[in-house]
Amino acid sequence: MRVVIAEDAVLLRAGVTRLLADEDIETVAAVDNGDELLGAVTEHRPDLAIVDVRMPPTFTDEGLRAALAARKAIAGLPVLVLSQYVEESYAVELLSGGTGGVGYLLKERVADVAEFLDAVRRVAGGGTAIDPDVIAQLMARGRRNPLDSLTARESEVLGLMAQGLSNTAIANSLVVSHGAVEKHIGNIFAKLGLEASAEEHRRVRAVLTYLGR
């Protein structure tokens, strides 16, 4: 796997690079601003871009805006955003702007090496990795809920799907059988009108619907 890192904090940038190297993941470029991120992804066409939300010059949302621009420049570019907070408007645009290959983790999750590496591999593989706190904050925005047809359990299952959990992990978390989880997911797909298609991954579309509620 080949990765581009955009992070202005030298120690964190070096730490993530070393952590990835220990897992045989190559960092092809490590930059500290949004403009250089766009140049790096265009040049190297990496398997994943890991991007900090706050970067020069204002240290507000440059990283998120650069991530959005990178995904527009290179269709399907997997992006994993790291942040100390949730920037709602850009986060919604990032998370709903494609069919997968996107993640949004709070930086405290990086301290959990196994969880972080799992998110790296999942997003690079076209999946999603959304921090539970990010999900909670986006859901608290008070927008109209298009998922009222789901039962409480189905909503719970979809929330765990949004975190990137596999069916087995969801079953373990809810202490139910694997078959029960599959049944709930089938009901979710049916209620959201997500028919099987070669062009769309229903699981990712369901998650994006959930995050856009």
Side-chain angles (χ1 to χ4, degrees):
M1 186 192 307
R2 301 166 66 253
V3 173
V4 166
I5 299 173
E7 165 62 61
D8 71 286
V10 176
L11 289 179
L12 182 56
R13 188 168 68 239
V16 171
T17 300
R18 176 61 182 273
L19 179 63
L20 296 177
D22 289 343
E23 297 295 317
D24 295 322
I25 299 174
E26 179 186 6
T27 299
V28 294
V31 302
D32 64 2
N33 63 77
D35 290 340
E36 290 187 7
L37 168 65
L38 290 176
V41 298
T42 300
E43 176 182 355
H44 297 286
R45 301 277 169 157
D47 300 302
L48 174 70
I50 300 176
V51 184
D52 183 18
V53 166
R54 293 184 173 184
M55 289 195 292
T58 67
F59 295 96
T60 54
D61 56 16
E62 284 85 358
L64 264 179
R65 288 190 281 110
L68 289 168
R71 281 176 68 87
K72 290 180 180 178
I74 302 176
L77 172 69
V79 173
L80 175 59
V81 170
L82 303 179
S83 178
Q84 291 181 333
Y85 73 112
V86 182
E87 211 302 323
E88 293 183 7
S89 59
Y90 287 109
V92 170
E93 185 176 354
L94 175 69
L95 297 175
S96 63
T99 57
V102 62
Y104 197 128
L105 297 182
L106 298 183
K107 284 188 174 180
E108 63 191 45
R109 303 292 175 186
V110 180
D112 187 327
V113 174
E115 184 174 352
F116 173 68
L117 292 174
D118 177 66
V120 166
R121 294 190 177 94
R122 194 187 313 151
V123 174
T128 58
I130 315 299
D131 194 293
D133 290 344
V134 173
I135 293 174
Q137 187 161 331
L138 293 180
M139 288 180 63
R141 298 170 76 231
R143 298 172 59 186
R144 179 180 177 274
N145 180 5
L147 306 174
D148 290 335
S149 62
L150 300 184
T151 66
R153 177 63 85 180
E154 288 163 357
S155 295
E156 191 173 12
V157 169
L158 186 50
L160 294 173
M161 288 168 60
Q163 294 179 35
L165 272 64
S166 66
N167 287 9
T168 299
I170 293 172
N172 292 337
S173 177
L174 299 179
V175 194
V176 298
S177 69
H178 192 275
V181 171
E182 290 184 337
K183 181 178 179 180
H184 288 311
I185 292 176
N187 290 339
I188 291 168
F189 291 158
K191 291 179 179 181
L192 296 183
L194 299 174
E195 299 181 358
S197 168
E199 289 77 29
E200 287 191 325
H201 191 302
R202 291 189 296 172
R203 192 181 188 95
V204 173
R205 294 303 305 169
V207 167
L208 292 174
T209 300
Y210 177 79
L211 294 173
R213 58 192 289 178

